[in-house]
Amino acid sequence: MNAIAESSDAALPGKHAIEVPAWLHAKIEDVNGLDFEAPLSGTVTADYHEVSELYRAASQQNNASAKPLEAASSRVMTMLAAVTGMHFKPHERNEPFGAMMSLADGRRTAITSDFRTHVEVLADLAVRATNPVLRSRLSDVCWLLERNRGHLALAAISAYAEIVEKSDRNELKYPHTAHSGALTPNARDYLRRALQIGRGVGWEKPETVSVRELVKRLRQQALDIRALVPINWFCDLDLDYSVSDPAEVAEALNGVLVKLPNDVNSHVVVELWRLAARAFHLGKREDDKQRCLAEAAEQLVVESQAKQGSAMLAAHFLSSAIAQLHGIPGKKERRAALQHQLIDIQARVPEEMSVFSHEFDLRKLVEWTQTTIGQADPIDMLFRFADLERSPDLKKLASEAVELIREHPLSSIFASSHLDREGKVIHRNPGGGMSDGGDNSAIVHQIAQGETFRRKVAAFGTIEPARHMIVDQHYLSDDMLISLLQHSPFVPTDLVATFSRGFLRFFQGDFVGAVYILTPLLENSLRHILKASGHDVTTFDDATQTQQDRTISSLFGQMRTELECILTEEIAADIERLFLSQPGPHLRHALAHGLLDDGDPYGADSIYGCWLMFRLCLLPLFPQRNR
């Protein structure tokens, strides 16, 4: 991998030094008469990374000399090491090359736009290059930066095809492959990029036509030897660019699949049946498409049966089979039968679950809480209790989540499933990015994990110690709480007694009573404060000409801005993460549908939820707390 390095040119008098990456020091005069392909002499690699390493070694060797000729050579070799060392992303048509590495402090390896001022240098080298690997990269980069260089686009197409042709004749080798030839993912990626360029400069140009024929030949070559993974690669590529008649590809795939033995890797077979379904769909043969999708589902059932040693894996494949059968005519009974099997398998999932614990010392936090609450009259202590915690800042939560993703990328790169106590998957979280933290689902998942820990610390480090102090020092009653809550705009006047009874149960330690009384009241209070602010919280059904109050989900979905104006963004988000969102405790849904067990009301989420509602009731009263 190219080193992440930047160097500074000498600054002119009175000017600040300009930081220029090391790979941009080469000038047009440096390449005149230079044998820039000398480091590649004798190499048979078809891989850009290995070419980049050869140039990097040459640049370091030449850099040891102070002679002008070697210095010029070193600058060119450094540039070639960088341009061939860029990450190849053939599926991204408009940005096929990216940084091989990016660091949190902003440093990175080379990207395409770095060479915008060096196109003339790269174009000169591209025209003179004889090595097809080097020529393809140089020509492609030049065309990406300046689309008027059509001759270099055609040169890139020809060079990509030459790499694949030579690898098919074993004149060039791909790294990390157990066999020789062109039936490799590298060859597929080179052809994909060549077809992308061909679409831009001319689908019927001779260079593009030759690549299309090469794709057909390699597809047929994979079919002839029944190499399932290469069949998937090159049939998929063929369909992506409509190189062949899709019906022809579909029939070829079907012919291979119906003759497969039972001991073949099911993952590959599933993908091939799905690919055949896609081909039949493109060929407008819907019955065959549905048949192939059903076959893919049955293959997933076979895989589930093979994984009976692990209930989690068996349930995963069986649920995938059920999802695969969705929408296929005539499969309703089969889906129902598989769903019954899934329930039986999921009953064994809890046996495979383990509990992991980590001790955390809360003594200092408890001491701080005791000092904060202190000794005072009951009303003052209640206000201090409501002010123990703050809903976290959203920007800070997001930045901390991004930083954790960067520091521990493996924690978020893989998709994850959230299971309930019965083993059912209740939420799926797709994987995120490696280092940029730009994937929203990964950030949401990371925030949910962090908030779970924060609520535990808050519940048992501050809320519970403070609650014990209050009830130890004072006798709380319904009347006392009513006299306080009747002034709160968060509490409807006809529910003051109910709120008071719920909070009394909370302070007395009856968390079951508190959670089941207070949680359903949240929705009504949110409507109450919205109506008090002049907002309409109803929906109108045109068909029946009836009006209904909005549910809490509808309030957060349709009136989020209005809620944030009243509650602040931080509090609204805190409510949503605790009561409504997945991943998260989803507390309101769990309570409303009887999904809480006997221990859940005594958990951190329930305790924090009761405290948060108490805080919402008292927040508007803080300016008048002395009255």
Side-chain angles (χ1 to χ4, degrees), residues 500-522:
S500 299
R501 180 58 56 88
F503 288 129
L504 184 61
R505 292 287 183 266
F506 175 57
F507 281 106
Q508 291 174 343
D510 179 9
F511 296 140
V512 175
V515 169
Y516 279 86
I517 291 173
L518 295 172
T519 302
L521 298 177
L522 175 63

Side-chain angles (χ1 to χ4, degrees), residues 101 163 223 274 278 466:
M101 180 181 291
I163 297 171
L223 289 166
R274 288 170 174 167
R278 176 188 167 203

Side-chain angles (χ1 to χ4, degrees), residues 249-260:
V249 177
E251 289 294 349
L253 286 167
N254 189 74
V256 170
L257 288 166
V258 296
K259 297 178 182 179
L260 285 178

